[in-house]
Amino acid sequence: SMAEEQQTIRIFCRIRPTKAKTGQYDLRSDEQTVPLITFYVPKSEADGLVNNRRETYPFKFNRVFDQQATQDEVFQRVAKEVIDNVLDGYNGTIFAYGQTGSGKTFTITGGAERFADRGIIPRALSYVFRHQENHPEDVYTTQVSYMEIYNEHGYDLLDPKHEAAKLEDLPKVFLQEDSERNIHLRNLSLHTANNEEEALNLLFLGDTNRMIAETPMNQASTRSHCIFTIHLSTRPSGATTIRRAKLHLVDLAGQDQLSPHPLTEV
């Protein structure tokens, strides 16, 4: 059923555009067949390896986005259905995983140069507030939080004081377990956003704190996880109960501690 399908974990692959020559790969991604990306590593490039090594490495995904894919296409295919479920009261998470420089932050937050380059977070905020405007009969509360995890410590990026010269200056977030073994985040501030502009300003505040608080050599940005969460409360018209759900949008640390592998040159 559609409901069962919506609850499964889905994995998407996005190939970063590059001006340099890329390794050879082939995409098969249409509605009829299983989306597949195959990398080709010619034997001649595999210095010193046994010559009967395979040359093709196929990987299956729910969908593969080639270099030409737009931010809007990624949002429509990856995020829209997750957000619809959150609006229906089901928690959802979208996270970007990959090597440093592979385009995780661009996909999740977006680029600063063009409006069309905005990523999943600002598009999700627009989508949520547009939905609320289209359903004025329901009562909504929208709050956001923004946390950075570095060296197994959590930091609140929505600290309004703007005094953080380094990450450790930001308020520390603590994990707490209640009697029913639910995990809570203590000292993580929740900020109410009444409209898209207020929500975007909170995103900008968090991103500013994130940039200001980066450690030397840019270590923090590549070795930290950032979690932007939209907390939604909805009381449908005529209902006595309130529906609550969270949408977590996660920019994971760069996965660079990979062991040497034939695909590293691709």
Side-chain angles (χ1 to χ4, degrees):
S1 75
M2 193 66 179
E4 286 169 353
E5 191 183 290
Q6 287 172 346
Q7 289 169 16
T8 58
I9 293 172
R10 281 172 294 171
I11 303 173
F12 301 86
C13 173
R14 185 180 196 185
I15 299 166
R16 178 185 169 146
T18 174
K19 293 189 176 86
K21 181 181 177 293
T22 53
Q24 288 179 294
Y25 67 89
D26 186 46
L27 290 190
R28 193 185 74 196
S29 190
D30 55 54
E31 304 300 328
Q32 280 74 44
T33 57
V34 176
L36 192 72
I37 180 167
T38 305
F39 293 101
Y40 299 97
V41 185
K43 285 179 184 170
S44 59
E45 291 181 20
D47 295 336
L49 290 176
V50 179
N51 222 15
N52 61 2
R53 190 179 54 76
R54 60 196 278 207
E55 292 185 277
T56 60
Y57 295 81
F59 299 92
K60 290 178 183 175
F61 292 91
N62 289 94
R63 178 171 285 274
V64 180
F65 299 99
D66 206 350
Q67 298 186 38
Q68 298 78 26
T70 64
Q71 294 282 68
D72 185 56
E73 187 184 343
V74 171
F75 175 80
Q76 296 294 334
R77 296 284 190 176
V78 175
K80 185 175 172 294
E81 205 172 293
V82 180
I83 303 168
D84 285 336
N85 283 342
V86 171
L87 290 165
D88 284 338
Y90 299 96
N91 292 339
T93 300
I94 299 168
F95 62 80
Y97 175 93
Q99 282 181 279
T100 299
S102 59
K104 298 183 299 297
T105 302
F106 181 80
T107 297
I108 292 288
T109 305
E113 290 181 16
R114 298 182 308 152
F115 184 66
D117 284 345
R118 66 201 188 285
I120 287 175
I121 295 176
R123 289 173 189 272
L125 292 169
S126 296
Y127 189 85
V128 163
F129 284 106
R130 197 160 58 241
H131 174 88
Q132 294 179 5
E133 285 165 14
N134 292 338
H135 297 81
E137 69 282 1
D138 300 336
V139 179
Y140 295 96
T141 303
T142 307
Q143 295 176 301
V144 302
S145 62
Y146 203 179
M147 177 172 70
E148 181 163 357
I149 301 170
Y150 180 63
N151 277 349
E152 298 187 26
H153 294 290
Y155 300 94
D156 187 355
L157 288 171
L158 294 184
D159 174 43
K161 292 198 282 289
H162 279 301
E163 288 167 5
K166 56 184 187 293
L167 197 60
E168 290 74 18
D169 294 340
L170 290 169
K172 228 173 194 180
V173 180
F174 302 93
L175 283 179
Q176 219 168 23
E177 199 174 348
D178 65 20
S179 55
E180 292 172 9
R181 310 210 63 166
N182 296 312
I183 299 293
H184 299 276
L185 294 171
R186 193 160 58 85
N187 208 33
L188 180 64
S189 60
L190 271 180
H191 299 257
T192 300
N194 296 304
N195 51 52
E196 183 182 350
E197 185 182 354
E198 288 182 12
L200 286 173
N201 280 334
L202 289 164
L203 172 63
F204 295 146
L205 167 65
D207 281 340
T208 302
N209 275 336
R210 185 177 168 184
M211 284 186 285
I212 290 170
E214 279 183 7
T215 56
M217 292 175 62
N218 204 25
Q219 282 179 318
S221 65
T222 58
R223 288 171 40 206
S224 66
H225 311 292
C226 287
I227 306 170
F228 185 90
T229 305
I230 304 171
H231 308 251
L232 281 178
S233 299
T234 311
R235 196 174 77 220
S237 176
T240 51
T241 54
I242 293 176
R243 237 173 19 214
R244 288 188 175 87
K246 296 175 196 169
L247 174 63
H248 302 287
L249 300 163
V250 186
D251 187 359
L252 287 174
Q255 302 304 310
D256 302 325
Q257 59 279 20
L258 302 172
S259 58
H261 190 281
L263 287 184
T264 50
E265 66 248 28
V266 173

